[in-house]
Amino acid sequence: MKIDPNHLHMLAAIIDSGGLSEGAIALNKSQPSLSRTVAMLEARLGSRLFEKGKRPLRPTELCQSLADQGRIILHASEAARQVAELYSGGKAGTARISGTPIFMDGVISNMIATFQGAFPEIAIHQTYGYLGDLTEQLNVGNVDLAICPVCPDTVPEGLSFKPILPGRNVIACAPSHPLARKSAIKLEDIAPYPWIAPPAGSPLYEDLRSALARIGIKDFKVSFTGGSLASIISILAGSESLTVLPYSVVFMQSNTKNVTALPVRLEHPSRELGVLWRDDRPIRPAVLRFRKYLESEFSGLAKRIEEKGRNIVWRN
Amino acid sequence: MKIDPNHLHMLAAIIDSGGLSEGAIALNKSQPSLSRTVAMLEARLGSRLFEKGKRPLRPTELCQSLADQGRIILHASEAARQVAELYSGGKAGTARISGTPIFMDGVISNMIATFQGAFPEIAIHQTYGYLGDLTEQLNVGNVDLAICPVCPDTVPEGLSFKPILPGRNVIACAPSHPLARKSAIKLEDIAPYPWIAPPAGSPLYEDLRSALARIGIKDFKVSFTGGSLASIISILAGSESLTVLPYSVVFMQSNTKNVTALPVRLEHPSRELGVLWRDDRPIRPAVLRFRKYLESEFSGLAKRIEEKGRNIVWRN
DNA sequence: CTATCTTCATAACATGAAGGTATATTGATT
DNA sequence: AATCAATATACCTTCATGTTATGAAGATAG
C-alpha cells in the first residue's frame, strides 16, 4: 500500500500545529479537507491515526511514525523549492568555463575567487584550451563559456563573442632584472637573455616567435618551456629570463612584485580577450550571472590598466 | 513556488530508469503522463529539466538537484509504507503492559524476552500495579494490558479477562532449606522459620497471612519485606526464610535451582492469573499480537506445570 | 447539570490535476 | 533516405481534493 507523500506531510502539519483547524491554516486548506483525508487514511491503513473521541487531538503511535516521515518529506520539498529558486535566480548551479591557461590562471582565477565569495552555491568547473579546442567544446556542449584572445574579425561561426580586454602582450621579467631598471630599452639589449617559452601552440608562443623575428632574432634561447603560470613566475623571479605574457596578467601580479613588464611594444595580430559562448542554446542562469560578472569586473580592470598604462612610454 | 513531492519523486524515477518510457513503467503510469508533467514543471520553473533535443534524455543540473530530493522523498515514503505495514500486521508498535510485580518479574519478563526476539520492532512499556491500579490504568488508557490474578467472578466492570494460568500460591524456600528435604511436612514444622513478606497490599501478602492464621500462627516473624522478586530470591537462597510465591514463579526458577516449593497446599481464594483489557476500545495490532503470544506461551507453560505437578503429593 | 463554546465530522457540490488512448513529431541509426 | 524508437501533443475522463454549509460531540464554565 503506497502512501502519498502529501498525506504524510499533512499528518506532520496536523500534529505540529496541534489540531485539524490549526493544521488547515498552516497548510492553507480548509479543515474539512484535512478531516476527510485523515479519515480516508485511517480507513486504508486499518488503524486509527488519532485517538477517537479525544478533543485535544491525540495522535496515535502509528501517526507519529508516519508524521516523522512527513517531516522528512516536508524538508526535502522545501530544499527543492530553495534549490529551484536559487537556480532560477542564477544564484546556484554550475558554470563550466574553459580558457587559455595563462590568462585563466593569471586573471580569471582571481575573479572566480571573489565571485564565489558572493555566490557560494555556484560551482565553477574550469578546464584549459586554446581557440580550436574551445570552439569544439562549446559546440559539443561540454563547456558553457570560453575565455580567450580572439581576432574580432574571425569569431568562429555560431559563437557569440564579447570582448573584455584588449589582448595586448608584453615582454615580462623579474623586477630585479637588469633590463627592468633601464628607462629606455633598445631591442639589442634584449637579445642576450634566455626565454621562457609559453606553451607551444598558444598564441603567446606565436607572438614571442614573430616578435623576436621582427627584431632580427631567429634563434632565441629557450631555457624553460611547458610550465603553467605559477612555474613561469617562479622561474622569472629567480633568473634573468624573459617571457611574453598578456599585459593584464602582469598587471594582476603587480601587487605581488613578482613580475614587471618591459616598456617595449610587441607587434602581434590585434586580438581581444573576450568571452565566447553559443547563443543558440539556453544559457543557464548561473552561467549568465557569471558572464555578467566577468564583464563588469573586466570593465573595471580595463579602466585601471588604462590609467596605469598612460604613465608608461611604450617603445617599438 | 511550492513543488509537489510527487513530482520530485517522478524526476528521480525518470533519471534513475533512464527515460520517460522506462520511468513510466517504473511508476506504473503512461509515458505521456510523465512527459506532460515534466513539461508543466519546466514551464513553472522557467528552466529546462532535460536538455532539449537530446534523445538519450539528459537531465539538467537543476533536474539532478531536484531528483536528489525526490529520492529522499521516495525513501521516506517507502519507510512510511513499511512502518504502516509492520504496524498493521502487529509487527511494530508499542504495547503498554502492567501487572503484579512478582509475576511480571518472575514469569512475564521471560516471555517478553523471547517475544522481542521474534518482534524486535515492538516496544514493551512495563509498569507494576495491583488489581485496583490496573483497572484504573486500563480505564484511563495508560495501559493496554494488565496481567494479574483475578477471582473470575469479580472481573471489574467493563474489562475483558482471559485466564492464562491457575493462580495457585505455594510456600517457597531455598533448595538447601531443612524443610526442602523432608518428604512429609507437618504444619508445625513450618512455624519456627522467619518469613519474607510479599509487598503489603498484594494478594500474596493476604494469602500468607490467612494461610498462617489457618494453621494457627497469628504472630509470624517477618524478617524481610518490601523487596521485589530479585531480592526475595537472593534472600531465600542465603537464609532459612520462607515465603509465598505463585507456583508458576517458582516453576520458572526451577532451572536455576534457587527456589523450591514445599509440597504443602495453601488455602486461598480461588484466583486465575490472566490478562485484562478493555474490549470496548480498539486494540492495536501489536498489543493484540502480544496478548496472543502470552496466551499461547502460557498454554504451553500450564501444560508443563501440570505434568510436573502430578508427581508431587500436595498435603494440606 | 446545563449552557455554551470550540473543534471535528459529514454532506453536497465544484474543479482541476493527472491519468489514459491515439497519434503526431523528432532524434537516432542503418 | 528510410526506418525505428522515444518523446510530445491532443483530447477525453475521472477522481482526488478543495469549498461551503451544517451537524455532532467533547470540553468548559457557571
Side-chain angles (χ1 to χ4, degrees):
Chain A
M1 159 172 1
K2 197 171 147 291
I3 306 180
D4 189 322
N6 286 311
H7 295 160
L8 296 173
H9 170 194
M10 272 184 33
L11 291 183
I14 294 173
I15 291 181
D16 293 344
S17 51
L20 285 188
S21 319
E22 295 90 328
I25 295 169
L27 292 170
N28 270 321
K29 316 202 159 166
S30 64
Q31 170 267 317
S33 178
L34 297 203
S35 178
R36 185 153 38 83
T37 305
V38 168
M40 184 270 284
L41 277 177
E42 287 183 335
R44 289 205 341 201
L45 294 173
S47 335
R48 297 206 72 86
L49 290 170
F50 295 92
E51 288 181 22
K52 181 183 153 194
K54 282 280 160 19
R55 199 40 73 97
L57 220 54
R58 262 215 310 252
T60 311
E61 183 193 356
L62 171 61
C63 185
Q64 290 282 11
S65 302
L66 295 183
D68 290 344
Q69 302 303 323
R71 290 192 199 93
I72 292 175
I73 287 171
L74 173 61
H75 187 256
S77 183
E78 177 55 23
R81 198 192 56 76
Q82 192 128 345
V83 163
E85 205 154 84
L86 286 176
Y87 183 94
S88 300
K91 291 179 181 162
T94 309
R96 299 165 302 168
I97 66 177
S98 191
T100 50
I102 301 289
F103 190 64
M104 296 302 278
D105 288 352
V107 182
I108 303 293
S109 58
N110 276 289
M111 300 196 171
I112 293 175
T114 61
F115 180 75
Q116 293 200 315
F119 303 102
E121 297 300 317
I122 298 184
I124 308 282
H125 287 185
Q126 178 182 298
T127 52
Y128 297 109
Y130 300 109
L131 189 56
D133 317 319
L134 298 179
T135 309
E136 169 73 9
Q137 293 295 307
L138 282 173
N139 286 333
V140 169
N142 287 341
V143 155
D144 302 306
L145 297 177
I147 301 156
C148 72
V150 173
C151 177
D153 309 334
T154 62
V155 173
E157 185 67 23
L159 297 187
S160 298
F161 177 70
K162 177 112 180 188
I164 50 181
L165 272 185
R168 188 157 63 83
N169 294 333
V170 296
I171 295 176
C173 61
S176 59
H177 196 282
L179 292 180
R181 266 155 296 176
K182 285 202 170 186
S183 61
I185 297 174
K186 296 180 202 135
L187 292 176
E188 308 88 82
D189 298 338
I190 296 176
Y193 295 101
W195 288 85
I196 295 175
S202 73
L204 282 178
Y205 185 83
E206 267 317 295
D207 289 353
L208 169 59
R209 223 176 41 78
S210 70
L212 291 184
R214 181 180 292 258
I215 309 175
I217 308 176
K218 291 242 163 57
D219 254 2
F220 51 97
K221 180 187 168 198
V222 170
S223 62
F224 177 82
T225 188
S228 66
L229 182 63
S231 340
I232 292 177
I233 289 178
S234 295
I235 292 170
L236 272 189
S239 72
E240 297 195 335
S241 306
L242 301 175
T243 193
V244 171
L245 288 176
Y247 182 59
S248 54
V249 171
V250 177
F251 181 84
M252 292 296 284
Q253 298 289 331
S254 56
N255 46 352
T256 66
K257 312 273 186 203
N258 278 330
V259 190
T260 193
L262 296 183
V264 174
R265 188 178 306 279
L266 275 188
E267 296 297 334
H268 58 75
S270 110
R271 299 198 204 86
E272 294 278 346
L273 280 164
V275 187
L276 288 164
W277 70 95
R278 287 196 56 143
D279 217 353
D280 58 342
R281 57 185 64 168
I283 297 168
R284 271 169 290 139
V287 174
L288 182 61
R289 181 179 289 277
F290 183 66
R291 179 156 70 77
K292 295 292 184 194
Y293 182 84
L294 282 186
E295 289 170 11
S296 85
E297 284 295 291
F298 273 107
S299 84
L301 179 60
K303 205 171 290 170
R304 280 182 285 143
I305 290 181
E306 159 72 11
E307 274 164 19
K308 182 170 182 184
R310 250 181 276 151
N311 307 326
I312 305 177
V313 183
W314 297 92
R315 310 195 168 220
N316 285 316
Chain B
M1 160 173 2
K2 197 171 146 289
I3 306 180
D4 190 321
N6 286 310
H7 295 161
L8 296 173
H9 170 193
M10 271 185 35
L11 291 183
I14 294 173
I15 291 180
D16 293 344
S17 51
L20 285 189
S21 319
E22 294 89 329
I25 295 170
L27 292 170
N28 269 321
K29 315 202 161 168
S30 65
Q31 170 267 318
S33 177
L34 297 204
S35 176
R36 187 157 32 81
T37 305
V38 168
M40 184 270 284
L41 276 178
E42 287 183 335
R44 290 205 340 203
L45 294 174
S47 332
R48 298 207 71 87
L49 290 170
F50 295 92
E51 289 181 24
K52 182 184 153 190
K54 283 280 160 17
R55 199 42 74 96
L57 221 53
R58 262 215 308 251
T60 311
E61 184 192 356
L62 170 61
C63 184
Q64 290 281 12
S65 302
L66 296 183
D68 289 344
Q69 302 304 322
R71 289 191 199 95
I72 292 175
I73 287 171
L74 173 61
H75 187 255
S77 182
E78 177 56 22
R81 197 191 57 76
Q82 192 130 344
V83 163
E85 206 154 84
L86 286 177
Y87 183 94
S88 301
K91 293 179 181 163
T94 309
R96 298 164 304 168
I97 66 177
S98 191
T100 50
I102 301 291
F103 190 65
M104 296 301 279
D105 287 351
V107 182
I108 303 293
S109 58
N110 276 288
M111 300 196 173
I112 293 176
T114 61
F115 180 75
Q116 292 201 316
F119 303 102
E121 297 300 316
I122 298 183
I124 308 283
H125 288 185
Q126 179 182 295
T127 53
Y128 297 109
Y130 299 109
L131 188 56
D133 317 318
L134 297 178
T135 308
E136 168 73 9
Q137 293 295 308
L138 282 172
N139 286 332
V140 169
N142 288 341
V143 155
D144 303 307
L145 297 177
I147 300 156
C148 70
V150 172
C151 175
D153 309 333
T154 62
V155 174
E157 185 68 22
L159 297 186
S160 298
F161 177 69
K162 177 111 179 188
I164 51 182
L165 271 186
R168 187 157 63 83
N169 293 334
V170 296
I171 295 176
C173 61
S176 59
H177 196 283
L179 291 181
R181 266 156 296 176
K182 284 203 170 184
S183 61
I185 296 174
K186 297 178 201 136
L187 293 177
E188 308 89 81
D189 297 338
I190 296 176
Y193 295 102
W195 290 85
I196 295 174
S202 72
L204 283 179
Y205 186 82
E206 267 316 296
D207 291 352
L208 170 59
R209 222 176 42 78
S210 70
L212 292 184
R214 179 179 293 256
I215 309 177
I217 308 177
K218 291 240 161 65
D219 253 1
F220 52 96
K221 181 185 167 198
V222 170
S223 62
F224 176 81
T225 188
S228 66
L229 182 63
S231 341
I232 292 176
I233 287 178
S234 296
I235 292 170
L236 271 190
S239 71
E240 297 195 335
S241 306
L242 301 174
T243 192
V244 173
L245 287 176
Y247 182 58
S248 53
V249 172
V250 176
F251 182 85
M252 292 297 282
Q253 299 289 329
S254 57
N255 48 349
T256 65
K257 313 268 186 205
N258 279 329
V259 190
T260 193
L262 295 184
V264 174
R265 190 179 303 282
L266 276 188
E267 296 297 333
H268 58 75
S270 108
R271 299 199 205 86
E272 295 279 345
L273 280 164
V275 187
L276 288 165
W277 71 93
R278 287 196 56 142
D279 217 354
D280 59 341
R281 57 185 64 169
I283 297 169
R284 271 169 289 138
V287 174
L288 182 62
R289 181 179 289 276
F290 183 66
R291 179 156 68 77
K292 296 291 185 196
Y293 182 83
L294 282 187
E295 290 169 10
S296 84
E297 285 294 293
F298 272 106
S299 85
L301 179 60
K303 204 170 291 170
R304 279 181 288 145
I305 289 180
E306 158 74 13
E307 275 165 18
K308 183 169 182 186
R310 250 181 277 151
N311 307 326
I312 304 177
V313 182
W314 297 92
R315 309 192 169 224
N316 286 317

